[in-house]
Amino acid sequence: MSKSGTLDLASGLGGKINKEEVKSAVDEYEKYHGYYGGKEEARKSNYTDMVNKYYDLATSFYEYGWGESFHFAHRWNGESLRESIKRHEHFLALQLGLKPGMKVLDVGCGIGGPLREISRFSSTSVIGLNNNEYQITRGKELNRLAGVSGTCDFVKADFMKMPFEDNAFDAIYAIEATCHAPDAVGCYKEIYRVLKPGQCFAVYEWCITDHYDPNNATHKRIKDEIELGNGLPDIRSTRQCLQAVKDAGFEVVWDRDLAEDCPLPWYLPLDPSRFSLSSFRLTSVGRMITHTMVKALEYVGLAPQGSERVSNFLEKAAEGLVEGGKKSSRRCTSFWLGSLFQNKSP
């Protein structure tokens, strides 16, 4: 069960960072980003530190708002957010052709919501690769509570340098995670190396379309807000991502901009013009209440100093995602690609 109470949120803020050092960690994280004067190259060269700080600071907010699966989903009319997230994960398992007994790798697994769901749905063993100690600790506890510790586990490591032998996995997937990689080709090459020949890698990737204009101040601001609020060194284009997997050795089997054919907008849970009781904490009203609550918890000392600032940059991310998502319908920017690739090694 995900953390759902106010004190659960407060106790988890800062992750493994000493509570007295959360404020300085926020300072360091914000310095990495262009929105605060940082440089893209600094984010890429220090991505391990940047992403670890981000997830230490943001994970409790994510779990409080999203539950155990930290991703968006292609959503149908009449479908709740939770239902769409589960179906989205099941679709990925079906695309990979998962069968009982297969050994699967989840690259950048968060606290393991998708790996638990996919393992149960497909009767496979799933290893979650993650470089954040706090998320792994939390994920192992959730595995224990769900009774899946025998089939689901975690490995703490950098996905640019995986501690696995060649040809170790029957299938690999990543859900909105490899966007954190400083070098897409290098990341995909590692995935290719540890995937068995002839088997498949599926990914949901955040991208910008070719209609993104780097000289358009509004487009640039949206991109900066999303990078800041989501711990990203850069957002690559769809074309760059597809070329990167080809350069890594994969054959593209299927790809689609999932933002283009969503029956309901993918950013709907965050849209301030919409209201939902089932995902209330993600709505603008719910986020405002959470922000006020975090501010009060910080004031009385139950949440560490700097917690409100984390809430601030996450709110900026939500605003950027909604604005970018709405512009995608006008063919300006988009942030979502679903793809399936095959290792064609002999």
Side-chain angles (χ1 to χ4, degrees):
M1 179 181 294
S2 293
K3 296 180 179 181
S4 58
T6 302
L7 292 179
D8 288 323
L9 173 62
S11 66
L13 290 174
K16 288 289 185 180
I17 299 171
N18 185 292
K19 302 304 179 185
E20 287 72 36
E21 297 175 354
V22 168
K23 183 176 180 297
S24 63
V26 177
D27 290 338
E28 291 177 34
Y29 173 73
E30 289 181 343
K31 286 178 184 176
Y32 284 124
H33 280 275
Y35 201 70
Y36 289 91
K39 301 295 183 183
E40 180 184 321
E41 286 309 311
R43 297 198 295 271
K44 289 182 176 179
S45 61
N46 296 284
Y47 79 97
T48 300
D49 180 61
M50 183 190 73
V51 174
N52 261 298
K53 279 189 171 63
Y54 174 77
Y55 279 113
D56 272 323
L57 295 168
T59 292
S60 282
F61 283 98
Y62 273 28
E63 191 175 354
Y64 183 78
W66 285 99
E68 297 176 20
S69 294
F70 303 161
H71 63 82
F72 292 96
H74 190 275
R75 189 171 171 187
W76 297 98
N77 288 304
E79 191 175 44
S80 72
L81 176 63
R82 297 289 181 261
E83 289 169 340
S84 71
I85 284 174
K86 282 192 173 187
R87 180 180 50 75
H88 201 57
E89 293 164 358
H90 295 173
F91 175 75
L92 185 147
L94 291 170
Q95 286 289 95
L96 282 170
L98 299 187
K99 295 179 175 58
M102 290 178 97
K103 184 179 179 182
V104 183
L105 178 65
D106 180 329
V107 177
C109 61
I111 59 173
L115 73 83
R116 283 183 289 276
E117 186 65 34
I118 287 172
S119 175
R120 287 178 294 206
F121 176 74
S122 59
S123 298
T124 54
S125 296
V126 185
I127 298 291
L129 185 73
N130 193 325
N131 209 21
N132 184 267
E133 184 179 351
Y134 175 66
Q135 289 195 331
I136 288 177
T137 299
R138 180 66 185 144
K140 286 186 174 182
E141 173 63 11
L142 291 169
N143 280 0
R144 185 189 66 81
L145 292 172
V148 297
S149 297
T151 55
C152 298
D153 203 358
F154 297 87
V155 171
K156 185 180 185 300
D158 184 344
F159 54 32
M160 302 298 294
K161 302 173 185 175
M162 297 187 194
F164 306 118
E165 296 181 355
D166 295 356
N167 311 326
F169 293 94
D170 299 302
I172 300 177
Y173 67 86
I175 302 178
E176 300 178 19
T178 50
C179 48
H180 292 292
D183 171 22
V185 176
C187 180
Y188 294 146
K189 278 185 175 179
E190 271 296 272
I191 291 169
Y192 189 89
R193 179 183 66 79
V194 301
L195 178 64
K196 291 179 180 178
Q199 301 305 306
C200 290
F201 163 53
V203 60
Y204 293 137
E205 187 72 276
W206 284 24
C207 302
I208 53 175
T209 71
D210 292 337
H211 297 271
Y212 170 77
D213 180 1
N215 297 313
N216 182 308
T218 299
H219 289 194
K220 182 67 168 62
R221 173 183 54 77
I222 292 169
K223 183 172 179 285
D224 287 345
E225 287 176 348
I226 294 170
E227 288 167 352
L228 166 70
N230 292 278
L232 304 178
D234 184 29
I235 305 176
R236 290 174 280 269
S237 71
T238 300
R239 183 180 299 177
Q240 287 173 319
C241 286
L242 290 173
Q243 187 59 51
V245 292
K246 293 174 185 176
D247 291 345
F250 284 103
E251 176 181 294
V252 178
V253 176
W254 175 88
D255 73 271
R256 180 179 299 169
D257 182 348
L258 295 176
E260 287 190 340
D261 62 352
C262 280
L264 293 176
W266 60 268
Y267 55 82
L268 186 68
L270 303 174
D271 189 346
S273 67
R274 305 295 183 101
F275 183 82
S276 170
L277 287 175
S278 64
S279 54
F280 176 72
R281 289 173 178 171
L282 296 176
T283 65
S284 58
V285 175
R287 299 197 309 269
M288 180 184 68
I289 292 172
T290 298
H291 179 81
T292 303
M293 179 179 67
V294 169
K295 183 176 181 179
L297 289 167
E298 184 175 331
Y299 180 78
V300 300
L302 289 176
Q305 293 295 309
S307 296
E308 184 188 359
R309 286 168 60 195
V310 179
S311 179
N312 285 337
F313 69 67
L314 290 174
E315 180 60 25
K316 279 292 181 187
E319 292 170 0
L321 286 166
V322 172
E323 191 174 358
K326 287 182 175 179
K327 285 188 178 298
S328 73
S329 66
R330 297 193 291 274
R331 304 296 295 161
C332 292
T333 55
S334 178
F335 300 94
W336 208 17
L337 175 73
S339 306
L340 180 69
F341 312 115
Q342 187 171 25
N343 181 327
K344 297 298 288 184
S345 296

